[in-house]
Amino acid sequence: MTALDLNDRGLTSVPVLPPGLTRLDLYKNALTEVPASLWSQTGLRVLNLAANRISTLPPGISALESVHTLDLAHNLFDALPDELGDLAGLTEYLYISDNRLTEFPAAWCRLGRLRYLGCTDNRLTALPADLSGFASLRELRLYRNELTALPESIGSLGALRELHLRGNRLTALPSSIGSLSELRQLDLRENELVSLPASIAQLSKLDKLDLRWNKHFREPAWLRDFEEAGCMVLR
């Protein structure tokens, strides 16, 4: 056995697991904790602990060197360990949405091969100053947090194709956002934006820009030309 599906079984604890698993699904149970013995499953490639009641992780998760997809969403975490940044095999997905996170550790920026990061519906007020370590990130979802600004280093995410920032408290964007040459979608709904940096007009691959529900937004003169060049702008 290499894959074990224990989704929606009403489990309150993780049972004894067979050795050699590559996939473990524990979605939608009633788990409140994770045993440290889980980290002995070093062959795991996919680990799904979403939709439980877990609030802490024991030390040692970095032993899961083969994990490429990790789902910790819809739990009760108010913090997650810096050690997540040591998961060098984490190349596909990291889901940590719908928790109670207030901080985004700089150590996570060591995930240089990660392609998708979902950190929505938390309580983040800021991002690390240096995001450049996320060199392979293609999709970043940060909607419904409490961000008031983005670091200039956001422009270093050269592989990024989608940036979702709906429902934060952003009043402005850094000019470096115009360096995201692969960006296709930029969702800025429900913020407090007043203006946009002119550098956005340099995003030649951008095909959707969503600006709805920014009450005090003043449309720049270049935006109409940008729209006519092929970008769908939602106001």
Side-chain angles (χ1 to χ4, degrees), residues 152-170:
E152 282 287 340
S153 63
I154 193 78
S156 65
L157 304 183
L160 200 64
R161 295 185 179 185
E162 296 186 25
L163 179 56
H164 298 268
L165 295 163
R166 178 179 182 172
N168 280 281
R169 300 177 183 177
L170 299 172

Side-chain angles (χ1 to χ4, degrees), residues 107-167:
W108 295 355
C109 299
R110 297 196 295 264
L111 296 172
R113 300 166 62 200
L114 185 66
R115 295 185 179 186
Y116 177 100
L117 175 56
C119 190
T120 73
D121 300 280
N122 277 290
R123 302 171 185 177
L124 300 181
T125 59
L127 298 177
D130 185 4
L131 298 174
S132 62
F134 286 120
S136 301
L137 205 61
R138 293 188 178 184
E139 190 167 334
L140 178 56
R141 292 181 177 265
L142 291 164
Y143 53 80
R144 288 193 289 271
N145 277 284
E146 299 177 14
L147 300 174
T148 58
L150 300 178
E152 282 287 340
S153 63
I154 193 78
S156 65
L157 304 183
L160 200 64
R161 295 185 179 185
E162 296 186 25
L163 179 56
H164 298 268
L165 295 163
R166 178 179 182 172

Side-chain angles (χ1 to χ4, degrees), residues 133-209:
F134 286 120
S136 301
L137 205 61
R138 293 188 178 184
E139 190 167 334
L140 178 56
R141 292 181 177 265
L142 291 164
Y143 53 80
R144 288 193 289 271
N145 277 284
E146 299 177 14
L147 300 174
T148 58
L150 300 178
E152 282 287 340
S153 63
I154 193 78
S156 65
L157 304 183
L160 200 64
R161 295 185 179 185
E162 296 186 25
L163 179 56
H164 298 268
L165 295 163
R166 178 179 182 172
N168 280 281
R169 300 177 183 177
L170 299 172
T171 58
L173 299 176
S175 60
S176 64
I177 206 163
S179 299
L180 298 175
S181 58
E182 295 297 319
L183 200 63
R184 271 74 163 176
Q185 294 187 33
L186 179 56
D187 187 353
L188 299 168
R189 285 175 288 174
E190 294 180 64
N191 277 283
E192 299 173 16
L193 294 172
V194 175
S195 62
L196 292 175
S199 61
I200 286 182
Q202 302 168 14
L203 299 176
S204 60
K205 294 184 180 180
L206 194 67
D207 54 36
K208 183 178 180 182
L209 175 60

